[in-house]
Amino acid sequence: MRAIVVDTPSDQLDALQVRDVPEPVAGCEEILIKVAYCGCNWADTQVRSGIYPHHINYPLIPGMEVSGTVSAKGKAVTGLSVGDRVTTLVSGGGYAEVCAADASVVTRLPHGMGLDVAAAYPVQALTAYYMLHTVYKLRAGETVLVHAAGGGVGLFVTQLAVRLGARVIGTVGTPGKENLALRYGADTVINLNETNFVSTVLELTDGKGVDLAIDSLGAKTLDRTFDAVRFLGGIINIGEAEGTPFKNIRDRVLARSQSFTRISIHHMLGLPDLWHEGNDYLLRGVGEGWLDVPIVKRFSLERAHDMHAEIQGRGISGKLLLEVGGG
């Protein structure tokens, strides 16, 4: 089968090599998926560059979320059949024509859902779901600050928060990326390069600060974010797109008795019931029409380096997909 292989970590885009590699074999509790699409995430660029915060071994095949059809299954797998249209999260291996997946967290697609949409939501929308429904439990009337509101996770956080009856204040770093967030119901979107977001947030919240802040930027933006969150409020970090933040989190949360967490969607793989709860909620949202999955561009295996270049440029507002088999 054809796949994208990264032999050793590199900042260079040509580290993504198209190769013929052996097809994986399904373990006892696994299925094989004939991949139609694989979603592209910022974490994929970290994996390629060798700065992903969790330990991984090289060489490897990147790719964390896939859609496609079941092509084989292990002896202990029940509830899934060869030919089923599915979506799931994987711990790598998605940039390939065939991918192995843990059957317990595979979701059959509702009738009528496109395989492109099915690969465009798992990492980002489920991350948004667990932050707002599990880690913090956002309530109607609360206010959430969403950094990178025009990015993939930010757009899903905005939609889910609005659905819960919360108010959304977003930030962006690129002019124009505020448009989709505002269309999805964000109350205000601040340009980080033009405005002091802390003072603006405090002004918009009568000096109290927001109830919850979602940060994917790290570096100095995360450091300043604590000042924009109320006493006993929460901060959730999901990435370091701007660089590694300060080390002493304890000093920052002590100032206002705040709560801080760093969430990884992959930890949900060990909690199948919670995993399916999130999937069911999101798939209902797509089916009912209140949750939009914005797909911007599709790339072939041969153009995976262009896909990484585009996401690293941070100018997109929506999802990039690797089109492997289509459908």
Side-chain angles (χ1 to χ4, degrees):
M1 70 172 187
R2 293 192 311 152
I4 298 290
V5 179
V6 177
D7 289 316
T8 58
S10 174
D11 289 333
Q12 301 302 309
L13 296 171
D14 60 9
L16 301 166
Q17 295 288 320
V18 181
R19 300 255 185 85
D20 287 320
V21 299
E23 188 171 304
V25 176
C28 185
E29 297 179 342
E30 292 183 321
I31 64 165
L32 295 185
I33 299 173
K34 183 179 179 182
V35 178
Y37 296 92
C38 182
C40 181
N41 296 280
W42 183 261
D44 296 348
T45 69
Q46 294 180 303
V47 167
R48 190 201 75 234
S49 301
I51 58 172
Y52 191 58
H54 302 284
H55 177 73
I56 49 178
N57 296 314
Y58 297 83
L60 56 77
I61 299 172
M64 300 177 180
E65 57 187 343
V66 298
S67 68
T69 55
V70 178
S71 59
K73 63 179 188 175
K75 294 181 180 179
V77 175
T78 59
L80 292 168
S81 302
V82 171
D84 282 349
R85 300 166 69 251
V86 296
T87 180
T88 193
L89 187 76
V90 291
S91 297
Y95 286 20
E97 292 179 325
V98 178
C99 179
D102 178 353
S104 69
V105 289
V106 170
T107 300
R108 276 199 303 267
L109 300 185
H111 178 72
M113 173 172 279
L115 288 167
D116 53 351
V117 172
Y121 85 88
V123 167
Q124 295 172 342
L126 281 163
T127 296
Y129 175 86
Y130 294 122
M131 286 192 293
L132 302 186
H133 287 259
T134 306
V135 175
Y136 181 83
K137 298 184 185 300
L138 188 69
R139 295 171 295 182
E142 291 190 313
T143 301
V144 55
L145 169 65
V146 185
H147 287 308
V153 175
L155 292 172
F156 284 118
V157 169
T158 297
Q159 293 182 80
L160 294 179
V162 169
R163 180 71 176 180
L164 289 169
R167 178 191 186 193
V168 175
I169 300 173
T171 73
V172 297
T174 304
K177 291 192 73 172
E178 73 279 1
N179 294 333
L180 198 50
L182 290 169
R183 196 182 92 193
Y184 286 159
D187 185 77
T188 304
V189 180
I190 304 162
N191 189 315
L192 291 174
N193 298 316
E194 298 175 354
T195 305
N196 182 320
F197 79 88
V198 174
S199 59
T200 302
V201 166
L202 293 176
E203 181 180 344
L204 292 170
T205 57
D206 298 322
K208 297 177 182 178
V210 298
D211 300 285
L212 172 68
I214 305 294
D215 170 74
S216 60
L217 302 178
K220 293 181 180 179
T221 300
L222 174 58
D223 190 15
R224 296 171 62 206
T225 295
F226 287 83
D227 296 328
V229 178
R230 66 168 171 81
F231 285 88
L232 301 177
I235 301 95
I236 304 176
N237 172 250
I238 54 169
E240 295 80 31
E242 291 184 348
T244 303
F246 56 90
K247 297 296 184 182
N248 198 349
I249 298 290
R250 180 177 178 273
D251 285 350
R252 299 302 280 120
V253 298
L254 275 175
R256 291 191 176 191
S257 296
Q258 295 161 332
S259 299
F260 175 85
T261 190
R262 172 66 161 88
I263 185 175
S264 171
I265 188 64
H266 287 279
H267 292 152
M268 303 303 171
L269 290 175
L271 303 167
D273 289 345
L274 188 59
W275 178 263
H276 288 293
E277 171 191 302
N279 265 280
D280 291 347
Y281 182 88
L282 295 171
L283 293 178
R284 282 198 306 272
V286 174
E288 292 169 0
W290 61 262
L291 183 64
D292 185 40
V293 181
I295 298 171
V296 179
K297 290 184 181 179
R298 298 166 172 81
F299 298 81
S300 65
L301 282 172
E302 289 76 14
R303 294 188 58 220
H305 59 285
D306 292 331
M307 181 175 71
H308 275 222
E310 185 118 17
I311 197 169
Q312 287 179 184
R314 298 175 63 180
I316 61 166
S317 190
K319 192 72 176 183
L320 303 179
L321 291 179
L322 190 68
E323 185 171 3
V324 183

PDB file of all heavy atoms in Angstrom, residues 146-159:
ATOM      1  N   VAL A 146     -11.822  32.338  23.568  1.00  0.00           N
ATOM      2  CA  VAL A 146     -11.300  31.312  22.667  1.00  0.00           C
ATOM      3  C   VAL A 146     -10.172  31.904  21.828  1.00  0.00           C
ATOM      4  O   VAL A 146     -10.412  32.699  20.920  1.00  0.00           O
ATOM      5  CB  VAL A 146     -12.394  30.763  21.725  1.00  0.00           C
ATOM      6  CG1 VAL A 146     -11.845  29.609  20.889  1.00  0.00           C
ATOM      7  CG2 VAL A 146     -13.618  30.317  22.513  1.00  0.00           C
ATOM      8  N   HIS A 147      -8.929  31.544  22.163  1.00  0.00           N
ATOM      9  CA  HIS A 147      -7.814  31.964  21.326  1.00  0.00           C
ATOM     10  C   HIS A 147      -7.832  31.150  20.031  1.00  0.00           C
ATOM     11  O   HIS A 147      -8.281  30.001  20.001  1.00  0.00           O
ATOM     12  CB  HIS A 147      -6.487  31.760  22.049  1.00  0.00           C
ATOM     13  CG  HIS A 147      -6.245  32.732  23.144  1.00  0.00           C
ATOM     14  ND1 HIS A 147      -6.339  34.101  22.964  1.00  0.00           N
ATOM     15  CD2 HIS A 147      -5.907  32.555  24.456  1.00  0.00           C
ATOM     16  CE1 HIS A 147      -6.063  34.718  24.099  1.00  0.00           C
ATOM     17  NE2 HIS A 147      -5.807  33.805  25.026  1.00  0.00           N
ATOM     18  N   ALA A 148      -7.338  31.747  18.949  1.00  0.00           N
ATOM     19  CA  ALA A 148      -7.358  31.105  17.622  1.00  0.00           C
ATOM     20  C   ALA A 148      -8.782  30.698  17.272  1.00  0.00           C
ATOM     21  O   ALA A 148      -9.059  29.585  16.831  1.00  0.00           O
ATOM     22  CB  ALA A 148      -6.426  29.906  17.571  1.00  0.00           C
ATOM     23  N   ALA A 149      -9.706  31.638  17.455  1.00  0.00           N
ATOM     24  CA  ALA A 149     -11.124  31.346  17.228  1.00  0.00           C
ATOM     25  C   ALA A 149     -11.424  31.011  15.773  1.00  0.00           C
ATOM     26  O   ALA A 149     -12.441  30.374  15.482  1.00  0.00           O
ATOM     27  CB  ALA A 149     -11.975  32.534  17.667  1.00  0.00           C
ATOM     28  N   GLY A 150     -10.567  31.426  14.853  1.00  0.00           N
ATOM     29  CA  GLY A 150     -10.779  31.121  13.442  1.00  0.00           C
ATOM     30  C   GLY A 150     -10.131  29.828  13.008  1.00  0.00           C
ATOM     31  O   GLY A 150     -10.250  29.431  11.848  1.00  0.00           O
ATOM     32  N   GLY A 151      -9.428  29.149  13.917  1.00  0.00           N
ATOM     33  CA  GLY A 151      -8.799  27.868  13.607  1.00  0.00           C
ATOM     34  C   GLY A 151      -9.762  26.716  13.805  1.00  0.00           C
ATOM     35  O   GLY A 151     -10.920  26.900  14.201  1.00  0.00           O
ATOM     36  N   GLY A 152      -9.281  25.498  13.550  1.00  0.00           N
ATOM     37  CA  GLY A 152     -10.153  24.328  13.577  1.00  0.00           C
ATOM     38  C   GLY A 152     -10.857  24.111  14.908  1.00  0.00           C
ATOM     39  O   GLY A 152     -12.085  24.052  14.978  1.00  0.00           O
ATOM     40  N   VAL A 153     -10.084  23.987  16.004  1.00  0.00           N
ATOM     41  CA  VAL A 153     -10.698  23.773  17.313  1.00  0.00           C
ATOM     42  C   VAL A 153     -11.529  24.987  17.710  1.00  0.00           C
ATOM     43  O   VAL A 153     -12.639  24.856  18.237  1.00  0.00           O
ATOM     44  CB  VAL A 153      -9.629  23.477  18.382  1.00  0.00           C
ATOM     45  CG1 VAL A 153     -10.270  23.366  19.768  1.00  0.00           C
ATOM     46  CG2 VAL A 153      -8.890  22.176  18.065  1.00  0.00           C
ATOM     47  N   GLY A 154     -11.008  26.179  17.458  1.00  0.00           N
ATOM     48  CA  GLY A 154     -11.718  27.389  17.845  1.00  0.00           C
ATOM     49  C   GLY A 154     -13.098  27.504  17.229  1.00  0.00           C
ATOM     50  O   GLY A 154     -14.055  27.936  17.883  1.00  0.00           O
ATOM     51  N   LEU A 155     -13.226  27.094  15.977  1.00  0.00           N
ATOM     52  CA  LEU A 155     -14.529  27.162  15.312  1.00  0.00           C
ATOM     53  C   LEU A 155     -15.527  26.181  15.923  1.00  0.00           C
ATOM     54  O   LEU A 155     -16.712  26.485  16.047  1.00  0.00           O
ATOM     55  CB  LEU A 155     -14.361  26.895  13.815  1.00  0.00           C
ATOM     56  CG  LEU A 155     -13.605  27.982  13.041  1.00  0.00           C
ATOM     57  CD1 LEU A 155     -13.324  27.519  11.615  1.00  0.00           C
ATOM     58  CD2 LEU A 155     -14.392  29.294  13.028  1.00  0.00           C
ATOM     59  N   PHE A 156     -15.037  25.006  16.321  1.00  0.00           N
ATOM     60  CA  PHE A 156     -15.937  24.051  16.974  1.00  0.00           C
ATOM     61  C   PHE A 156     -16.279  24.500  18.395  1.00  0.00           C
ATOM     62  O   PHE A 156     -17.430  24.368  18.834  1.00  0.00           O
ATOM     63  CB  PHE A 156     -15.317  22.653  16.991  1.00  0.00           C
ATOM     64  CG  PHE A 156     -15.371  21.955  15.665  1.00  0.00           C
ATOM     65  CD1 PHE A 156     -14.209  21.599  15.006  1.00  0.00           C
ATOM     66  CD2 PHE A 156     -16.591  21.650  15.079  1.00  0.00           C
ATOM     67  CE1 PHE A 156     -14.249  20.940  13.777  1.00  0.00           C
ATOM     68  CE2 PHE A 156     -16.653  21.001  13.847  1.00  0.00           C
ATOM     69  CZ  PHE A 156     -15.480  20.653  13.200  1.00  0.00           C
ATOM     70  N   VAL A 157     -15.300  25.026  19.130  1.00  0.00           N
ATOM     71  CA  VAL A 157     -15.581  25.551  20.470  1.00  0.00           C
ATOM     72  C   VAL A 157     -16.644  26.637  20.387  1.00  0.00           C
ATOM     73  O   VAL A 157     -17.587  26.667  21.190  1.00  0.00           O
ATOM     74  CB  VAL A 157     -14.299  26.107  21.128  1.00  0.00           C
ATOM     75  CG1 VAL A 157     -14.652  26.892  22.394  1.00  0.00           C
ATOM     76  CG2 VAL A 157     -13.343  24.978  21.485  1.00  0.00           C
ATOM     77  N   THR A 158     -16.518  27.515  19.420  1.00  0.00           N
ATOM     78  CA  THR A 158     -17.485  28.602  19.260  1.00  0.00           C
ATOM     79  C   THR A 158     -18.884  28.047  19.049  1.00  0.00           C
ATOM     80  O   THR A 158     -19.844  28.473  19.718  1.00  0.00           O
ATOM     81  CB  THR A 158     -17.082  29.504  18.080  1.00  0.00           C
ATOM     82  OG1 THR A 158     -15.821  30.112  18.364  1.00  0.00           O
ATOM     83  CG2 THR A 158     -18.124  30.587  17.839  1.00  0.00           C
ATOM     84  N   GLN A 159     -19.033  27.108  18.128  1.00  0.00           N
ATOM     85  CA  GLN A 159     -20.361  26.556  17.838  1.00  0.00           C
ATOM     86  C   GLN A 159     -20.945  25.820  19.045  1.00  0.00           C
ATOM     87  O   GLN A 159     -22.139  25.972  19.363  1.00  0.00           O
ATOM     88  CB  GLN A 159     -20.284  25.609  16.647  1.00  0.00           C
ATOM     89  CG  GLN A 159     -19.947  26.304  15.331  1.00  0.00           C
ATOM     90  CD  GLN A 159     -19.928  25.321  14.175  1.00  0.00           C
ATOM     91  OE1 GLN A 159     -20.965  24.947  13.625  1.00  0.00           O
ATOM     92  NE2 GLN A 159     -18.733  24.884  13.794  1.00  0.00           N
TER      93      GLN A 159
END
